[in-house]
Amino acid sequence: MVQVSRHDIVIVGGGGAGLRAAIAAAEANPDLSIALVSKVYPMRSHTVSAEGGAAAIARDDDNEELHGFDTVKGSDFLGDQDVIEYFVENAPRELALLENWGCPWSRNEDGSVSTRAFGGMSTKRTWYATDKVGFHMLHALFQHSLRFDNIVRYDEFFVTKLLVEDGRCQGVAALEIRTGEFHAILGRSVILATGGAGKIFPFTTNGTIKTGDGMALAYQAGVALKDMEFVQYHPTGLPGTGILITEAARGEGGYLRNNKDERFLVDYDYGVGDKAELGPRDMVSRAIIQEFEAGRGFEGRYGKYCVVDLRHLGEKHIDAKLPFVRELAKIYIGVDPVHEYIPIRPVVHYMMGGVDTDINAATELPGLFAAGEVACASLNGANRLGSNSLTECLVFGAVAGRNAIEFAQGAGEGNSSALVSQAEEEAARVEALRGNGRGNEKIAGLRHEMNSTMEAGCGVYRMQESMQIAATETRSIRKRAADLHLKDSSRVFNTEIVSALELQNMVELAEVLAVSAAHRKESRGAHTCRDYPTRDDQSFLYHTLAHRTDDGPRLGRKEVKLGHWEPQERKY
Ligand SMILES: Cc1cc2nc3c(=O)[nH]c(=O)nc-3n(C[C@H](O)[C@H](O)[C@H](O)COP(=O)(O)OP(=O)(O)OC[C@H]3O[C@@H](n4cnc5c(N)ncnc54)[C@H](O)[C@@H]3O)c2cc1C
């Protein structure tokens, strides 16, 4: 039996983008009902763990032209310039709004908002609340969302399918994790705000829940995934756990050192002068790998690493600006950065690619919108600048909320019985997995294989051959993931079934990522091929689109929206 509920719009995801969308929708029409569905309690969404800050113009030496160009250049000219212009224009307003809702931005002595330097940003543009930005932002959003009676929450509901009828998206099918019951949550429009997919890779800053579910839901519903080959490695994650040492550590003046105790980034010419550590993430990650290859990395339990040196900043500055970095380093690796180096290595951090959306957060499927890390509008092109993402969640979360409401107002209710019978079919599919005792594949084993295939084939540096191998292997892993062996037949909090569903989502995306990467025979932003080391605008200045077929992704292309910033060599 499927439980049926009806709302006007359904938002999947309770992180920064989902909550911002919910608030925008609730404000746009207080008479409409908004379902907010999340597989974890909203405050546990990955947004909570963001540390460094959110970008928006705040200083007199900054302007829209500068923020826009930094973002376009950071994207290696693959970002869509209409999206970027809208973003930089609306960013300051969104961050100010967040303060009205309770986000305590750090301030200068004269009362103005304090901003810090971030890689690839030509001036101090990153707003922060010490180094616990995501925590404060998500709190402010969550608290504010509680003021609206028309936002109805479905906490710990796992969405497994989009319900599409009559050519438009009209709701979701979801498993209630607490009870094992199945639900059809119907609406006249749906927003995906499900975040990224870092867990496809073995070393990542991403929380366990970042399994790309929303990307897989859209892909399975026939919507294209865009630019999935572009994966951001953050240069400074802790080896082993992948826990993030925020870019603010470099922004506040920290150094990176190799095993010769050299501040090696000085030798890599990004043209940033004495701010050698403030290169963009793709370039700094490549420099670290080059240090490893030249034998200048330290050797540790989890392979090679370099170190962050904050000692010269002094205890007072570290405690004032980077208290969380000190706390994390002490707890997770047993070092105090006031006196010691923090070991780091590049780790997967962010997906530039995602569900193909336009500047209105709309997808090709009528009634389906997407915002936040799940979406690819594309603001970030081939490489995201640190601190643009949190602001993107706000700016485009709000756009999605308003547009989904508008769509819902103009759409009819649709055929409920057809939607419910789709949900019933989906319930039967999921039920067949529960404690099936059949199947030949173990969840953990396949996840491990997927992780190592992705690291070997689609890491910081890529080769045609290794990407091709990854494409072939991920295809076979995807097929094998249909034959999972589950043991737990309980209904209440059956986390095994959730892991199985997440794995089935991840293997789809791993294949799209590898196939898209193998196709792009150039180096652009985070996609660096050793055998095609230069950017090739002649042949590859377009977005990659991937549509699902049973035999794997069918690739297509979408034009990049250029504007007044002409493509040029990307130099810092
Ligand atoms: C450690 C870390 C630090 C970061 N620091 C910064 C920073 O300083 N500045 C910056 O700009 N960016 C930063 N980023 C990136 C940024 O935080 C994220 O891109 C952003 O927060 C994503 O927000 P989101 O709302 O799109 O998704 P998330 O916050 O990941 O939320 C996703 C939501 O979707 C729900 N969901 C997912 N799948 C399902 C499903 N199947 N069914 C139901 N619900 C589902 C989840 O429950 C969750 O509520 C950081 C990222 C990490 C990992």
Side-chain angles (χ1 to χ4, degrees), residues 16 82 93 136 237 299 307 336 366 373 408 428 430 462 493 572:
D82 57 341
R93 197 183 139 266
H136 290 298
E299 288 291 343
V307 296
D336 183 351
E373 194 172 339
V430 173
R462 302 165 172 190
F493 278 107
Y572 287 91

Side-chain angles (χ1 to χ4, degrees), residues 13-14 16-17 38-39 45-47 52-53 157 159 194 213 373 387 389-390:
S38 176
K39 71 177 175 178
S45 305
H46 189 73
T47 299
F157 279 61
V159 173
T194 48
D213 302 338
E373 194 172 339
S387 74
S389 168
L390 287 174

